[in-house]
């Protein structure tokens, strides 16, 4: 069964048509990358999956069940973790509290302490900042905390928006070798879908994502 299936997604923000028939899918235990230039629609697509935005058309299914139109907290409770582009941490909470709160959002499954320990295991540097609040953290530290919080949810699907923010502008070099599939979005449309190594055959797509043709 496909873990996430996005089909023909049309999304407007006020009068602007942001996503145009966007389609992608993620299978069980797959790493899938969505890349594109700033403003291409990457964040809008992920935020729509998470319920922050409602699609005008198309469908979103998680493990075969439709989730488009559902509240964000229900989608998270169902097993989708999300680390947004702006980190989205709670500034008034400490690092430890930000991570722990995810275990309240999705109770059950592994014990809360085990989930918190697993999050610190990925980003051990956060242990030293456990009592620190958001405003005292750097941008990179906030990004780590955002991902750690999403991991503490114990998600079945993890969505990371701009996990390499601030690195080199050549996007293609940020696609891990073990990625199963690559999607390229431009002006709200998916213009490439395939294996990462296949993108080098398309000079037009490479120009969009900053790789060398």
């Amino acid at each position: 069964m496909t873990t996430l299936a996005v089909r023909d997604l049309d999304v407007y923000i006020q009068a602007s048509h942001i996503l145009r028939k966007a389609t992608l899918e993620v299978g069980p235990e797959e790493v899938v990358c969505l890349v594109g230039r700033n403003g291409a629609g990457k964040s809008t697509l992920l935020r729509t999956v998470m319920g922050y935005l409602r699609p005008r058309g198309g469908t979103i299914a998680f493990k075969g069940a439709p989730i488009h139109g559902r509240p964000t907290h229900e989608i998270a409770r169902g097993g989708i973790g999300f680390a947004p582009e702006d980190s989205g941490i709670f500034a008034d909470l400490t690092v430890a509290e930000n991570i722990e709160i995810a275990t309240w959002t999705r109770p059950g499954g592994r014990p809360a302490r085990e989930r918190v320990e697993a999050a610190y295991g990925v980003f051990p540097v956060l242990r030293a900042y456990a009592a620190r609040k958001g405003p005292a953290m750097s941008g990179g530290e906030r990004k780590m905390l955002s991902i750690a919080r999403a991991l503490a949810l114990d998600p079945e699907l993890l969505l990371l928006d701009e996990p390499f923010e601030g690195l080199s502008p050549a996007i293609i070099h940020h696609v891990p070798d073990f990625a199963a599939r690559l999607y390229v979005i431009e002006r709200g449309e998916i213009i490439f879908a395939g294996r990462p190594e296949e993108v080098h055959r398309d000079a037009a797509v490479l120009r969009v994502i900053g790789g060398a043709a």
Side-chain angles (χ1 to χ4, degrees), residues 20 32 59 64 72 79 86 129 133-134 141 150 170 175 204:
R20 303 169 182 268
V32 173
T59 61
T72 299
D86 62 357
Y129 306 146
K133 293 188 176 182
E141 290 164 351
V175 177

Side-chain angles (χ1 to χ4, degrees), residues 124-175:
V125 68
L126 291 178
R127 289 186 186 277
Y129 306 146
R132 186 176 296 182
K133 293 188 176 182
M137 303 179 72
S138 70
E141 290 164 351
R142 288 195 297 271
K143 178 67 75 173
M144 286 190 288
L145 176 56
S146 180
I147 297 173
R149 184 182 60 188
L151 289 171
L153 188 75
D154 206 16
E156 297 175 56
L157 175 67
L158 182 61
L159 304 180
L160 305 179
D161 191 357
E162 299 288 0
F164 304 111
E165 187 176 20
L167 299 182
S168 164
I171 303 170
I172 189 60
H173 300 306
H174 298 159
V175 177

Side-chain angles (χ1 to χ4, degrees), residues 45-115:
L45 195 154
L46 296 182
R47 289 176 61 81
T48 303
V49 170
M50 288 305 301
Y52 292 104
L53 299 169
R54 289 180 177 266
R56 187 81 61 90
T59 61
I60 307 169
F62 177 53
K63 299 191 299 182
I67 60 171
H68 48 281
R70 291 178 58 185
T72 299
H73 69 277
E74 289 186 6
I75 294 172
R77 188 179 297 145
I80 302 182
F82 179 48
E85 179 181 7
D86 62 357
S87 300
I89 63 171
F90 297 104
D92 291 338
L93 300 182
T94 65
V95 166
E97 291 167 340
N98 265 281
I99 295 174
E100 184 180 353
I101 201 170
T103 67
W104 306 346
T105 302
R106 191 179 185 223
R110 292 193 295 169
R113 179 173 294 183
E114 184 178 331
R115 291 153 61 178

Side-chain angles (χ1 to χ4, degrees), residues 17-20 37 39-41 185-191 208:
H17 195 176
I18 306 300
L19 295 181
R20 303 169 182 268
R37 292 187 276 211
I185 188 169
E186 173 71 352
R187 297 180 180 178
E189 298 181 17
I190 301 294
I191 62 171
V208 168

